[in-house]
Amino acid sequence: MPRDHHFADLVFTGGPVYTVDPARSWATAVAVRAGRIVVVGDDHDVSHLVGADTEVVDLAGRLLLPGFQDAHVHPVLGGTTMLGCDLHQLEDARAYADAVADHAAAHPDRAWITGGGWSMEAFPGGTPHRDLLDSVVPDRPVALPNRDGHGLWANSRALEIAGITRDTPDPADGRIERDADCSPTGMLQEGAADLVLRHIPATTDAEYLQGLLEGQRYLHGFGITGWQDAGVGSAFGPGDVYGAYLAAAADGSLTARVRAAQWWDREGGLEQLPEFTARRAEAAAVREGAGRFRAGTVKMMLDGVAENHTAAMLEPYLDGCGCSSGASGLDFIDPEKLGGYVSELDAEGFQVHFHALGDRAVRSALDAVEEARRRNGPRGNRHHLAHLQVIHPEDIPRFRALGATANIQPLWACHEPQMDELTIPFLGDRRSRWQYPFGSLARSGAMLAAGSDWSVSTPDVLLGVHTAVNRRGPGEEDARVLGPEERIDLGTALAAYTAGSARVNHLDDVTGSVQPGKYADLVLLDRDPFAGPAAAIGDARVLRTYVEGDLVHAAQ
């Protein structure tokens, strides 16, 4: 028999429901029909919508929220890494070597051993050596990016294939780490990694699609219903994930809502614009059918990371003795040209997603947004700056003034070995206090979005929220607080992962809050974190994830 359209398909009762609407209001019940929210209120407001075929979920005091959205993530890269030699769950050099050996033995047919996910803190100075890889795989090339994707660990065979010797000069956008005799150690920083990556056989479309679906499954498990992929194009060596998204959008297997940030080739210029425009139109056409895919953003990577001193800083890094090193990081895109590039992209209706980690990179990005506004006027493209490890205090109010969103990765804002051993000593006390200034940004009126940068770090939103609120890592109650004045409250942190990221993704008209008329993209937790201590936020887990009222994840 046909369904009675008077009744709801799905009803939640027995709240709490944190709506994340503009008033940050609360409810106890939600009703869903045909994939959209029809009623938000108290239990009695939805009782007349419960029919014989209505699924009723008793929240029983567990928190219901809008589905989380990750504003900076690499799901296809993460998914394909999970299917390769995945080192993310391991923590020391010996475990990495054993895993590489086991993977090579299990896949004797693979010409290259690839994967990644090792942590810099497992090695002295954050730089592993080729000898360890040679000891377990001497006969085939091995190439493994680290967790943040800004460095590559290669064995001798990979260096040989790439032609990297003691006489190979450093590329302009990277560095070859060397032994005392100038021989390459096997650690390649930033653009130097491309010297090896270009020789790896390209990942096939089928492998990328498999990686996308594996990444999507994993992200749904953390309550994530939408994201911005921060590297669609030739961002990470040979191959391009764009086709996988198109295929999944067309056949309906893409259940998440995705905005692609098309990769800006830093060796190129505005000649890339026609391809960006064509892909944007192609993705929009598919989205009008079965898919949930848009490609209206361009990703510009302005600098590197602080741990290897490639993040662009206004003042030089310190050396091991606390004196100026004379090196202040790298500008991957010429700051003199950046404003013109961003202005043209803005005029063509593209959002720009900046990787800006050091304070010089942050200033360059803000200067470029300011130039675009001066040339074009406000165009509503919602440009955003990701990572923001160090922001000069004078630049904090510029976010609000320019309408630029601060795209934060909260999990990094705590004391841990990479911070304490590889970063703070080389920034010094003054700049270290400027790190991850979430509280200052929020108090200034800046708009916040949030993401994980997975596979750099876990996509577990609740761990990110925990760190944003506590400025300590989960389970680290006795650890020092990193910048206590930069804590944000629980509601603000959750809003960044929901309404804030939905706005960055140009989805705030249909998602990001629990309101009538919006899609029923929802996440159910196993508790109400508002009802417990801040130190326990990270203990919460996702029970269910819904997209348009359809269950896409249920905890086992």
Side-chain angles (χ1 to χ4, degrees):
M1 293 181 63
R3 179 181 288 274
D4 187 336
H5 294 292
H6 169 76
F7 295 117
D9 302 319
L10 177 64
V11 165
F12 299 91
T13 63
V17 179
Y18 187 47
T19 68
V20 201
D21 67 5
R24 299 292 187 263
S25 65
W26 290 82
T28 64
V30 175
V32 176
R33 183 190 301 128
R36 291 190 182 255
I37 298 166
V38 292
V39 173
V40 178
D42 296 326
D43 289 5
H44 72 270
D45 295 323
V46 301
S47 59
H48 66 287
L49 296 174
V50 177
D53 296 322
T54 303
E55 179 185 358
V56 179
V57 177
D58 182 5
L59 298 176
R62 300 168 300 189
L63 186 63
L64 186 71
L65 292 157
F68 299 134
Q69 295 190 32
D70 194 314
H72 184 107
V73 67
H74 305 282
V76 187
L77 177 64
T80 53
T81 300
M82 291 171 72
L83 298 170
C85 184
D86 185 9
L87 306 178
H88 283 89
Q89 305 306 315
L90 307 175
E91 296 298 337
D92 63 77
R94 187 67 257 165
Y96 297 152
D98 291 344
V100 172
D102 291 344
H103 184 83
H107 300 281
D109 57 324
R110 293 189 179 175
W112 283 72
I113 303 303
T114 59
W118 54 271
S119 177
M120 285 187 284
E121 65 196 56
F123 301 96
T127 57
H129 200 278
R130 67 181 188 278
D131 287 349
L132 182 58
L133 291 178
D134 291 346
S135 70
V136 293
V137 185
D139 56 338
R140 282 184 283 168
V142 180
L144 302 168
N146 63 5
R147 287 183 190 174
D148 66 18
H150 291 265
L152 184 80
W153 183 18
N155 70 346
S156 294
R157 181 68 182 122
L159 296 175
E160 179 185 0
I161 290 171
I164 300 173
T165 69
R166 71 182 62 192
D167 299 318
T168 305
D170 289 346
D173 61 347
R175 184 173 69 248
I176 301 169
E177 300 291 355
R178 303 173 191 272
D179 285 328
D181 64 355
C182 293
S183 298
T185 66
M187 180 62 203
L188 306 173
Q189 306 282 14
E190 300 294 347
D194 293 337
L195 301 174
V196 166
L197 291 174
R198 64 174 62 129
H199 294 278
I200 299 175
T203 304
T204 67
D205 290 343
E207 289 168 337
Y208 274 137
L209 180 58
Q210 184 183 11
L212 168 58
L213 298 180
E214 179 66 14
Q216 176 176 257
R217 179 200 63 78
Y218 191 61
L219 292 178
H220 281 334
F222 294 109
I224 296 167
T225 58
W227 61 75
Q228 187 160 141
D229 189 315
V232 174
S234 56
F236 304 105
D240 182 353
V241 304
Y242 174 74
Y245 277 117
L246 275 186
D251 69 17
S253 58
L254 185 66
T255 49
R257 306 185 196 282
V258 177
R259 189 173 181 93
Q262 300 188 60
W263 184 255
W264 176 275
D265 181 352
R266 58 201 187 210
E267 301 298 323
L270 289 170
E271 74 282 354
Q272 302 173 74
L273 186 54
E275 182 178 9
F276 293 152
T277 302
R279 284 189 163 193
R280 178 175 62 182
E282 185 178 25
V286 174
R287 180 175 173 267
E288 290 174 357
R292 298 183 171 104
F293 181 53
R294 300 192 228 187
T297 298
V298 172
K299 166 73 176 298
M300 305 185 91
M301 187 168 176
L302 301 191
D303 67 342
V305 294
E307 292 87 348
N308 65 11
H309 300 183
T310 58
M313 305 299 297
L314 291 167
E315 299 175 5
Y317 290 93
L318 304 181
D319 61 18
C321 299
C323 301
S324 173
S325 69
S328 55
L330 301 177
D331 294 304
F332 292 151
I333 300 175
D334 185 346
E336 296 298 318
K337 297 178 180 179
L338 182 63
Y341 294 155
V342 172
S343 295
E344 289 298 321
L345 291 167
D346 180 69
E348 292 298 320
F350 282 98
Q351 176 188 74
V352 180
H353 179 159
F354 299 94
H355 168 118
L357 199 136
D359 55 3
R360 188 172 83 236
V362 173
R363 182 164 292 178
S364 293
L366 293 171
D367 288 348
V369 173
E370 185 172 19
E371 182 174 337
R373 285 172 69 92
R374 186 170 62 250
R375 290 191 189 187
N376 305 329
R379 294 182 57 82
N381 291 323
R382 304 181 182 183
H383 307 307
H384 55 117
L385 285 66
H387 306 327
L388 306 174
Q389 180 163 355
V390 182
I391 306 178
H392 193 286
E394 292 177 2
D395 289 319
I396 295 284
R398 298 181 69 196
F399 283 81
R400 177 185 173 188
L402 297 172
T405 297
N407 183 341
I408 63 176
Q409 283 63 62
L411 196 65
W412 305 345
C414 62
H415 284 286
E416 42 78 32
Q418 278 191 201
M419 173 66 71
D420 295 340
E421 299 169 12
L422 301 179
T423 304
I424 290 176
F426 305 99
L427 292 180
D429 291 341
R430 180 172 60 98
R431 287 183 298 186
S432 293
R433 290 193 295 270
W434 298 349
Q435 291 190 98
Y436 304 116
F438 308 154
S440 295
L441 287 162
R443 289 187 294 272
S444 76
M447 295 171 286
L448 302 183
S452 66
D453 205 9
W454 182 63
S455 59
V456 173
S457 47
T458 176
D460 189 330
V461 170
L462 295 167
L463 297 185
V465 169
H466 176 102
T467 308
V469 173
N470 291 279
R471 302 286 288 203
R472 292 188 180 107
E476 301 289 338
E477 288 79 10
D478 297 328
R480 289 178 296 150
V481 175
L482 181 72
E485 69 281 1
E486 300 301 346
R487 292 164 165 157
I488 56 177
D489 65 82
L490 177 55
T492 299
L494 289 170
Y497 278 103
T498 52
S501 291
R503 184 183 181 280
V504 157
N505 289 333
H506 288 260
L507 289 169
D508 51 315
D509 56 335
V510 291
T511 68
S513 60
V514 182
Q515 294 180 269
K518 291 195 172 185
Y519 287 124
D521 295 359
L522 303 165
V523 57
L524 173 60
L525 306 186
D526 67 350
R527 69 195 71 192
D528 176 8
F530 287 95
I537 292 170
D539 295 334
R541 294 291 177 265
V542 169
L543 291 181
R544 295 185 180 187
T545 306
Y546 296 86
V547 174
E548 291 185 37
D550 291 331
L551 187 66
V552 295
H553 166 76
Q556 299 298 314

